[in-house]
Amino acid sequence: MDVTHEGEAISVRFVPNTDLTVGSHRRASQSIRLVRTQLKRFADAVETKDGGVTAHFLMADMNAVSDFISRIDEKLDRLRNEKITIKMLEEILLLTPLERQRWTKDGRLPAAGNSYIDRGQKIRLWTYSPDVVARLWKNPEIIENWRKADLASGSASAGQSD
């Protein structure tokens, strides 16, 4: 977070970085909502624009604002460490559902756990480590090599999805 201080007024600006979002628009939106909600509790004015949130504290004590920002940073750290859902994974790595399923099943894309949703019955969904996803996102050649290997082995049609 960027903090500017002019007289008794303090401005705080948050724009999610790729370290937090790993390229996910969903996670970026989630982080902006989290920060905006927290800032609205104490700031005199909060605005969301240009892919981030800005808060203005008019008669603020810098120590109090710093403590407040530290608490928000702790919440963002928890978000950063949350496991990645299948929809986020597919968005971040530009995978088809069939690629994700095949690569999870054969171990190339290790699942980090499960989450469950209740749709009349419990449905298990894989979740993925943010560190593994970040590594793959930063090294897209890994996924390209997986696709080439699948094509060479004749399982390329399994990677196609409507």
Side-chain angles (χ1 to χ4, degrees), residues 91-159:
E91 171 200 10
I92 294 165
L93 300 179
L94 304 174
L95 304 179
T96 67
L98 290 173
E99 286 174 330
R100 177 193 45 80
Q101 290 168 357
R102 182 174 58 250
W103 297 340
T104 300
K105 187 175 179 180
D106 71 15
R108 288 183 271 182
L109 185 58
N114 300 297
S115 64
Y116 294 89
I117 58 172
D118 193 353
R119 298 276 196 245
Q121 63 181 6
K122 281 196 176 217
I123 299 172
R124 180 181 71 168
L125 302 172
W126 294 108
T127 57
Y128 298 86
S129 162
D131 295 331
V132 170
V133 174
R135 181 178 61 83
L136 291 169
W137 182 66
K138 290 175 183 174
N139 298 286
E141 67 277 1
I142 295 171
I143 291 185
E144 271 312 305
N145 289 337
W146 291 352
R147 287 183 175 132
K148 287 176 186 173
D150 289 349
L151 189 61
S153 71
S155 59
S157 61

Side-chain angles (χ1 to χ4, degrees), residues 44-59:
D44 295 299
V46 177
E47 59 185 341
T48 305
K49 67 178 186 178
D50 300 328
V53 181
T54 302
H56 304 283
F57 301 84
L58 300 179
M59 302 280 287

Side-chain angles (χ1 to χ4, degrees), residues 25-56:
H25 297 294
R26 292 170 192 234
R27 190 162 275 195
S29 296
Q30 191 178 12
S31 66
I32 289 170
R33 276 192 314 274
L34 182 151
V35 171
R36 183 182 60 229
T37 300
Q38 295 301 309
L39 291 172
K40 280 185 172 181
R41 300 168 106 191
F42 296 106
D44 295 299
V46 177
E47 59 185 341
T48 305
K49 67 178 186 178
D50 300 328
V53 181
T54 302
H56 304 283

